[in-house]
Amino acid sequence: MKKLKFNVTGMSCAACQAHVEKAVSKVNGVMDVNVNLLANKMTVDLDEGITNAQAVINAVESAGYGASEIDDKENKTASPVAAAQDESKKMKKRLWWSVGFLIPLFYICMGHMANIPIPPIFAGHKNMMIYALTQLLLTVPIIAINFHYFSNGFKNLIHRSPNMDSLIALGAAASFIYSVYGTYRMAYFMGRGDLGSAHEYMMNLYYESCGMILTLITVGKYLEARSKDKTANAVNKLVSLAPKTAVVIRDSEEVEVPAENVMVGDVFLLKAGWSVPCDGVLIDGNCTVDQSALTGESIPVDKAVGDRVMSASVSAGGFAKVRCEKQAKDSTLSQIIALVEDASASKAPVARLADKISAVFVPIVITIALISLVVWLLLGYSFAFALNMAISVLVISCPCSLGLATPTAIMVGTGKAAQFGILIKSAESLETAHSIDTVVLDKTGTCTEGKPELISAQAFGDFDVSELKKLCGSAESGSSHPLAKAVTGHCKTNGIELSPAESYKETAGGGISAVVEGRNVLIGNKRLMDNSGVDISMVEETAHAHADNGEIPLYAAIDNKLAGILFIADKIKETSAEAIEGFKKAGIETVMLTGDNEKTARAIQKKLGISQVRSQLMPEDKATIIKELQEQGKKVAMIGDGINDAPALTTADVGIAIGAGQDIAIESADIVLMKSDLNDAVTAVKLSRSVMKNIKENLFWALIYNSLGIPLAAGVFYGLLGWKLNPMFGAAAMSLSSVCVVTNALRLNLFKSGRENKAAKAEINTKTEDGKMKKVMKIDGMMCSHCTGTVTKVLNAIDGVTADVSLEDKCAYITLDKDVADEVLSKAVTDAGYKVKGIK
């Protein structure tokens, strides 16, 4: 199966979206199709052995729309909203021209009603034809400018797939045609001297309604197009992060090349203030990198040889040479943009409701309009009155707001999540996350740092501790498990020389065995020892005592005889307890699953306040436990590292992977936390709840609007209350309903994680050991030592300030003996002729 993406043209409402999906889904070989009305894009999963892209395009065209395949080989960092911006410009031009003709048309038609004097040439019975023909001539350009509604609307009507444009076209065309008919009848009666009959038709001309309907719809479309641009703000910000050029070393020379031309294996330079053009690894030097735009981390991260850097992060200081590992089009930034776009283009289950309604909505509206026309005629009202009611029904019923209700909120929500360093891979996972009531947590790397350290060791019998560490470290050298790395890392740090290991074997969830210096070495947990027949009863009490303190005991057996215990501790992350508390406040139960012994697990449970803990588990046991929770009616989210926990992540209702910004395309996870911070999982749930609340608000207002608007337009309240809706006001209300839905979705940009104040407070209260406050000021414009001297001088001249200015970092490191406002510091530097980019 292959996933293809297409641009779709001609869609204007939810009905269009439903028709395109229906047409494509009928193509033999198409497994799934998602159409995004907001982005005018379509994603299709198809079997290449049965069908192809051209068949999909043909199906879209046969439904009355246009389609073209999006080439995946195109640079992923291309702006995703260029089409929307172009649409906004075109719509603005159409709007101004429409308004230019509508103002005189409206003045001539309605001026006398507002007691505004009109030229005598348009007044009086003798000038009725001039009055009518002038309106006709002013209306025709408005129709020509907005002819798209007619061509698209009637084309879809012919294809038996009426959409919003069909309703607009029918309403405007009915107004115009009836007005032209009235103009001819006026001419007929005037030619026969019957000015009274001619005047009656003059009073029932609807040229201004036709022009106003088209113009007001265009106003709504223009505002909608502008709103679409705003919904992609997060993606736009990410796109703008991509550097245009890079300096690479080729043939021992520094050469500046376009960022997209940096190839895998190329070595590029990274200096203070430069952006990273692509993902790479440091091979020389060191630097401090600001990754805040990608991961949300406010504090720059130190990088040394062997460390990885992500595309679009910025060097805050230092100098390094970096080897490219991924080209710009495959970089972390590009993958983030792709994930955000895919999530925005995907469809949440709640959107199916809107689709089902929209699929039948337009035909029903047309039917209601016809029934309204016939009923009012049968009740004895004039054709003009009945037509007015039918036109009002058509123009107020356009289901734009219904189609925009879900995708706008999804797009804004996924974009906002990206700003927090949370990558949501689909709209479905974003929706499901709001109903989570149980969170299952992996321990290592999720609740803890994932970097265990060897704390102590005990040797028994004829073995000493040094020999024990050497044999164990040698055996563990073939393993990539964090506990194994703790042992080998300790040996390396302490200069313990390791020997080659043979016959290496790893038991999942148990430990390892190997032959070192001709001796059989077995290292692992109690289960492995029991299964191997090694008696550990005499040391279990000691192991339990250490486990009570959160240390992990690794039993070591040499030649099938217990030789010692290695005690390893994995530091709990600083933010884990806060995250667990956040889940509790959100009404979510927490369950920790681990392969460690029960004592260690209970110690961590106690420190973090986790609701339940399950220990000594095999990797496959985690998925089984999640199934058990689901069978109890729980909605389960699994948080793990995305590799060892892949089965559990896939089994859970929502899989959340700790990504650290490097492995963002983990297939088994639905959501990726780039900062490896559990607090971001809490933020993801809160954001999901806000998005779902927003979608429900949008759907409610869209549905209640049509539910109340259609009866009003049809004249249901006319007999009782005398309420009658003018088609012009119906068009205005329809346009504003769409704008209101999009504007409501944009409120999600105001979403706060709840941790902003804590972060700000932590930064403000950064103090030295003697209680003095420290701040870092980023300064732009310093070019030489004279500049740094000037900045140092003006800052140190402030009472209570001691500053050390670095030209390389372009930063001033400030120590305050007393409270000094940021504005005072900033003004001093600005007055000296330099620009302050920020103070932390």
Side-chain angles (χ1 to χ4, degrees), residues 235-476:
V235 178
N236 282 335
K237 289 177 182 178
L238 288 172
V239 171
S240 66
L241 293 174
K244 300 295 184 291
T245 62
V247 176
V248 300
I249 300 176
R250 290 180 179 168
D251 299 325
S252 301
E253 293 185 4
E254 297 181 8
V255 182
E256 186 172 0
V257 300
E260 61 267 22
N261 290 346
V262 179
M263 310 302 291
V264 175
D266 280 348
V267 175
F268 60 87
L269 303 182
L270 190 59
K271 297 181 180 180
W274 289 13
S275 294
V276 181
C278 54
D279 291 4
V281 60
L282 267 68
I283 60 173
D284 186 25
N286 57 74
C287 60
T288 303
V289 176
D290 182 355
Q291 303 177 155
S292 58
L294 295 177
T295 66
E297 295 171 287
S298 59
I299 302 174
V301 180
D302 293 330
K303 301 287 184 179
V305 174
D307 290 337
R308 299 177 183 277
V309 291
M310 291 183 288
S311 58
S313 51
V314 180
S315 174
F319 174 81
K321 293 181 180 179
V322 186
R323 183 177 63 247
C324 172
E325 291 195 326
K326 292 181 181 179
Q327 285 185 266
K329 64 183 180 65
D330 300 316
S331 66
T332 298
L333 175 65
S334 297
Q335 291 183 59
I336 291 173
I337 293 171
L339 280 177
V340 174
E341 286 185 316
D342 287 348
S344 300
S346 62
K347 186 169 294 183
V350 71
R352 308 295 177 185
L353 172 63
D355 290 349
K356 290 177 181 178
I357 295 172
S358 300
V360 296
F361 188 77
V362 176
I364 289 176
V365 167
I366 294 174
T367 303
I368 292 173
L370 291 173
I371 291 174
S372 176
L373 176 71
V374 172
V375 168
W376 286 112
L377 288 174
L378 292 176
L379 290 175
Y381 288 83
S382 67
F383 181 77
F385 181 92
L387 183 65
N388 184 295
M389 295 296 192
I391 293 171
S392 296
V393 170
L394 291 171
V395 297
I396 201 173
S397 305
C398 302
C400 291
S401 55
L402 194 62
L404 293 170
T406 300
T408 47
I410 293 294
M411 181 173 282
V412 177
T414 52
K416 190 66 181 178
Q419 292 179 3
F420 288 110
I422 303 167
L423 302 182
I424 299 172
K425 296 172 68 175
S426 70
E428 182 175 359
S429 58
L430 179 61
E431 177 181 340
T432 305
H434 92 282
S435 60
I436 292 301
D437 54 28
T438 304
V439 168
V440 173
L441 304 159
D442 176 43
K443 181 184 75 68
T444 305
T446 302
C447 296
T448 64
E449 293 286 356
K451 298 178 181 178
E453 298 178 355
L454 178 60
I455 303 300
S456 62
Q458 292 184 15
F460 308 117
D462 298 332
F463 298 96
D464 59 37
V465 172
S466 297
E467 185 181 11
L468 177 69
K469 290 180 179 179
K470 178 179 180 179
L471 291 173
C472 290
S474 300
E476 294 277 26

Side-chain angles (χ1 to χ4, degrees), residues 706-767:
N706 283 306
S707 298
L708 296 176
I710 292 175
L712 176 63
V716 171
F717 304 107
Y718 183 71
L720 296 173
L721 303 171
W723 292 354
K724 178 185 174 186
L725 185 67
N726 187 292
M728 291 183 292
F729 293 108
M734 189 283 292
S735 297
L736 289 175
S737 71
S738 297
V739 175
C740 288
V741 164
V742 175
T743 303
N744 186 48
L746 290 173
R747 288 193 306 110
L748 288 168
N749 280 317
L750 303 176
F751 173 84
K752 302 292 184 182
S753 68
R755 302 185 68 232
E756 288 82 3
N757 291 337
K758 292 181 181 180
K761 187 176 180 181
E763 288 183 5
I764 292 172
N765 292 329
T766 301
K767 297 182 178 180

Side-chain angles (χ1 to χ4, degrees), residues 125 128 186 190 194-204:
H125 284 70
M128 285 189 292
M186 285 172 58
M190 288 184 71
D194 189 353
L195 296 182
S197 296
H199 182 265
E200 184 178 338
Y201 275 99
M202 185 193 78
M203 295 303 294
N204 287 301

